[in-house]
Amino acid sequence: ISVNSSFLSNNVPIIELEKPNMNEVIRQNQEDDKNGNLYKYGVSIMCDIDTENSGKWETLEDGSKVWRLSISIEGALALGLYYDAFWIPSNGELFVYNQDKSQVIGGFTNINNHESGVFANELIIGDFLTLEYHQKGNNKPIIHINEIAYCYRAIKSLNQARDFGDSDSSCEVNANCSEGEDWTNIKKSVCRISIKTGNSYGWCSGAMINNTQ
């Protein structure tokens, strides 16, 4: 993204993964609805993708290198990447973007390294994404993707503000009306969070709690 694209080839390797069995996903969602379980929006697809076994490295005129790989899963409303091994050296930078580059996240650097060695990035809208890693020097990154979230519903709200009446549950209290008077302060901390349960991902509400004392 920060590299002049004229220096890069147009030939980016693409990994096309098989979409999940949506008939089974729909059946499970119906069971969840009956039992009042978490509202699911995505399902896991396991994979084995890293900078050594996939993608393409290119060397630029200044001696720096760029690694790129595209991933596609037919029909996905969005894709989420989960890394079970993630380490970016001080001379590296990772970007992830959708097909038309209307959504670009990164660059992720060594600041994003965690002692656990794992990482995840926000959902990329659409069924096609590209990873682009920039390397200066000889230190290579550790980037291994073991799981991809295939998102099949409730995704448009990532780019669009929710409006009145858009609650996913009829039991939720409208904090901006008279019934929400007891939550005047608390409502400022409410957020939507993504929860992984088993092989699925679901939306839930959460709250930020001040624990400074």
Side-chain angles (χ1 to χ4, degrees), residues 13-208:
I14 301 174
I15 292 180
E16 296 181 350
L17 297 175
E18 185 176 350
K19 65 184 298 185
N21 182 342
M22 293 308 298
N23 290 330
E24 175 59 24
V25 171
I26 292 172
R27 185 198 67 77
Q28 184 61 55
N29 287 340
Q30 291 172 341
E31 288 295 319
D32 289 337
D33 292 342
K34 290 179 182 178
N35 298 323
N37 293 333
L38 181 69
Y39 182 87
K40 309 291 178 48
Y41 71 84
V43 62
S44 293
I45 295 179
M46 306 309 294
C47 59
D48 176 19
I49 299 172
D50 63 29
T51 56
E52 300 297 325
N53 65 21
S54 307
K56 179 180 180 179
W57 284 96
E58 296 180 75
T59 301
L60 305 181
E61 290 184 344
D62 62 0
S64 63
K65 297 180 180 180
V66 174
W67 174 81
R68 290 181 297 165
L69 172 69
S70 294
I71 300 174
S72 176
I73 310 178
E74 180 186 1
L77 298 181
L79 298 173
L81 302 180
Y82 292 81
Y83 312 72
D84 62 349
F86 185 90
W87 181 80
I88 303 294
S90 59
N91 59 3
E93 198 170 18
L94 174 68
F95 297 88
V96 186
Y97 47 86
N98 61 353
Q99 194 162 19
D100 64 3
K101 297 183 181 179
S102 59
Q103 181 187 9
V104 179
I105 61 175
F108 301 109
T109 67
N110 61 333
I111 295 177
N112 301 103
N113 295 337
H114 190 270
E115 60 183 9
S116 66
V118 300
F119 187 66
N121 53 245
E122 68 186 78
L123 298 178
I124 300 295
I125 302 300
D127 62 2
F128 188 102
L129 62 76
T130 298
L131 295 106
E132 184 172 311
Y133 178 77
H134 301 170
Q135 175 182 310
K136 294 180 180 179
N138 297 320
N139 293 330
K140 285 191 174 182
I142 299 174
I143 299 174
H144 184 266
I145 301 168
N146 69 315
E147 188 175 340
I148 298 176
Y150 178 94
C151 307
Y152 54 86
R153 67 176 181 177
I155 293 301
K156 66 179 182 179
S157 56
L158 288 175
N159 284 345
Q160 298 176 1
R162 303 297 294 269
D163 202 352
F164 182 84
D166 284 347
S167 168
D168 289 328
S169 174
S170 58
C171 67
E172 293 180 3
V173 173
N174 188 332
N176 290 326
C177 289
S178 58
E179 64 175 345
E181 289 180 355
D182 292 337
W183 288 271
T184 302
N185 291 325
I186 299 172
K187 71 179 183 180
K188 299 176 183 178
S189 71
V190 175
C191 62
R192 185 178 70 170
I193 58 177
S194 173
I195 294 178
K196 186 175 189 295
T197 172
N199 198 43
S200 300
Y201 302 86
W203 293 127
C204 191
S205 59
M208 185 184 346

Side-chain angles (χ1 to χ4, degrees), residues 2-21:
S2 61
V3 172
N4 189 328
S5 59
S6 63
F7 293 116
L8 298 172
S9 71
N10 294 322
N11 183 21
V12 180
I14 301 174
I15 292 180
E16 296 181 350
L17 297 175
E18 185 176 350
K19 65 184 298 185
N21 182 342

